[in-house]
Amino acid sequence: MKRSYIFAALFAAAFVSPTVAQVSKSQALGEIIVTGNRINAGYAQENRPVVGLRREADSAVMTVSFSSDSRDEATRKKEIHTMLLAAMDRAGAAGVELVTGNFELIPVTKANYQELPFNWAGRVDTSKVDVMVKVKLAGSTVSASSRIDSFVKGLPRNGRGAIDKAGGLVLTIVNPDQYRDAIVKLVAEDARSRATIFGPDYAVQVTGIDGQIFWSQVSGTDVFLYIPYRYTIVPK
């Protein structure tokens, strides 16, 4: 069954509870070097609006390769599938989930695992299947990475099969569009506040608020959801 998990950021070294933190600024800065500029700030993104919704990511995923270098192709595939089945059997108890997908994540199950593509694994007579191991964030990405490490190390190998991590953690967020109302309210509050500074003879005009939800990573565990709005303070 499809699950609407979305990759929230594409940083290899990250994508915690689902509690929403309605912080209007994308990332508060501490003491800075005046000869530098904002692009030197961690996770900086040019042209990202200031106002949006910052929250902790829902989960993190890491790519794991199931491979085999047995000479016979049928044997390679059987060894890889055997290891995948063992991983699925152990995932629940380990608090992880096997998923696949380039954008929206889909659980790997015993009903669809045989549909996963076999790829060349870099040497003659080698094959691999790449999946992602998903884990809920529970305090830090260090903890998440450790839980995935333990899961991978505990999986049984089959024949000439191997199981290896193939990248760092990437954050995920569930259904970003569900936060549209919260983002619009934050923009409206900020716009009204800015107009008030100029006095009662001024109002605000907002554009772009009907646009799509965008997202980016702003810390090791947080994502920033926003709409590419613009507003102008004008005389009434």
Side-chain angles (χ1 to χ4, degrees):
M1 181 177 65
K2 181 183 285 190
R3 295 280 297 280
S4 55
Y5 275 87
I6 303 293
F7 283 104
L10 300 178
F11 292 88
F15 280 145
V16 183
S17 69
T19 302
V20 173
Q22 294 193 2
V23 179
S24 62
K25 293 184 178 180
S26 61
Q27 185 175 20
L29 297 176
E31 186 173 5
I32 63 170
I33 300 172
V34 296
T35 53
N37 56 52
R38 188 172 290 272
I39 199 64
N40 298 122
Y43 303 105
Q45 180 175 317
E46 189 176 358
N47 298 324
R48 182 175 60 204
V50 172
V51 179
L53 182 67
R54 178 170 175 162
R55 73 183 301 277
E56 293 168 323
D58 292 302
S59 299
V61 297
M62 181 182 291
T63 299
V64 175
S65 290
F66 292 74
S67 63
S68 171
D69 62 358
S70 290
R71 296 294 299 274
D72 178 65
E73 181 180 5
T75 300
R76 293 198 301 271
K77 290 183 175 181
K78 182 178 180 181
E79 289 173 350
I80 291 171
H81 279 163
T82 298
M83 292 187 295
L84 279 170
L85 286 170
M88 283 184 276
D89 287 339
R90 289 163 171 75
V96 304
E97 182 180 7
L98 270 60
V99 296
T100 186
N102 293 321
F103 179 65
E104 187 170 6
L105 299 182
I106 301 171
V108 175
T109 68
K110 293 182 179 180
N112 65 15
Y113 79 99
Q114 291 182 321
E115 300 171 8
L116 295 171
F118 286 90
N119 298 306
W120 179 56
R123 302 189 307 276
V124 176
D125 295 333
T126 61
S127 300
K128 68 173 182 176
V129 169
D130 289 337
V131 300
M132 286 171 283
V133 178
K134 180 168 73 72
V135 61
K136 291 286 186 181
L137 288 174
S140 71
T141 54
V142 173
S143 173
S145 181
S146 176
R147 287 153 64 195
I148 293 175
D149 285 345
S150 296
F151 172 69
V152 172
K153 289 177 181 178
L155 292 176
R157 278 55 175 173
N158 183 262
R160 293 184 59 84
I163 306 172
D164 301 289
K165 295 184 299 181
L169 287 177
V170 179
L171 302 181
T172 76
I173 191 166
V174 179
N175 186 19
D177 289 328
Q178 68 178 300
Y179 302 106
R180 171 176 289 278
D181 288 349
I183 296 169
V184 171
K185 288 178 181 177
L186 289 170
V187 173
E189 290 170 4
D190 186 75
R192 283 194 297 266
S193 174
R194 302 306 171 188
T196 300
I197 294 173
F198 287 85
D201 295 329
Y202 288 83
V204 62
Q205 292 181 344
V206 183
T207 60
I209 205 68
D210 58 337
Q212 295 182 358
I213 304 294
F214 287 78
W215 52 84
S216 64
Q217 184 172 350
V218 291
S219 78
T221 57
D222 287 4
V223 294
F224 184 69
L225 300 146
Y226 62 93
I227 299 172
Y229 70 91
R230 290 290 185 271
Y231 66 68
T232 307
I233 308 299
V234 296
K236 289 184 179 178

